[in-house]
Amino acid sequence: MWMPIIVAVGVAVFLGAAGGLMTPIGVWYRQLRKPSWQPPDWAFGPAWTIILGLAAWSAIIAWRAAPDADTQRDIIIMFGVNALCHFLWSPLFFRLRRPDWALVEVVFLWISLVVLVVGLWPIAHVASVMIMPYLAWVSFAAVLNATIVRLNRPFARG
């Protein structure tokens, strides 16, 4: 009974912490040209905390609503793929300093969220709706990522 809660919260905390650790705001990032409409750096932490909290809550609701073990397996796969895609973006953008590669990766993150919204709907409408802010934020982040790539290219190393 408690295991789904522990796992969902644990994954959300891990993803939040790993994302924070993989996001150094240093000289390289500060020197990038960014659009005027980019939110301030301090806004990203609270936004991701809320979004990952909603995703964990969504996972718990979906797990409890699942009618059988096959559906629970599908929920694990959908959230697992999403977690992997979520985890990969920050190291690509910040550690490898490749916003262009992160832009390719964000497409997979976005698709994983669409799959969650669509896949959770027949299991638990509320769980599906709780993923929508995550999808909206990643959609915004993808446009921001694309704008940063456009303003700063090329990124390839000599």
Side-chain angles (χ1 to χ4, degrees), residues 49-59 79 127 130-131 133-134:
T49 300
I50 292 166
I51 287 164
L52 291 173
L54 286 171
W57 193 3
S58 170
F79 276 99
M130 292 174 86
I131 298 299
Y134 189 177

Side-chain angles (χ1 to χ4, degrees), residues 2-131:
W2 288 99
M3 191 56 69
I5 296 171
I6 292 167
V7 170
V9 170
V11 169
V13 169
F14 170 79
L15 289 175
L21 292 172
M22 290 290 165
T23 307
I25 304 297
V27 174
W28 173 81
Y29 178 74
R30 296 232 184 270
Q31 289 178 346
L32 288 175
R33 289 185 302 269
K34 298 176 217 60
S36 60
W37 46 267
Q38 176 176 319
D41 293 341
W42 64 261
F44 288 88
W48 280 119
T49 300
I50 292 166
I51 287 164
L52 291 173
L54 286 171
W57 193 3
S58 170
I60 294 163
I61 291 170
W63 180 268
R64 289 184 173 165
D68 53 41
D70 287 341
T71 305
Q72 288 178 331
R73 181 202 65 230
D74 293 345
I75 291 166
I76 291 170
I77 291 169
M78 287 187 288
F79 276 99
V81 168
N82 171 257
L84 176 63
C85 292
H86 181 99
F87 178 78
L88 291 174
W89 188 89
S90 287
L92 290 172
F93 191 101
F94 289 98
R95 293 290 176 177
L96 296 177
R97 298 179 178 180
R98 293 302 303 253
D100 50 346
W101 293 355
L103 182 59
V104 172
E105 195 281 334
V106 81
V107 172
F108 294 97
L109 175 56
W110 189 88
I111 290 168
S112 77
L113 290 164
V114 171
V115 168
L116 275 169
V117 168
V118 172
L120 295 176
W121 187 259
I123 301 165
H125 295 348
V126 171
S128 176
V129 169
M130 292 174 86
I131 298 299

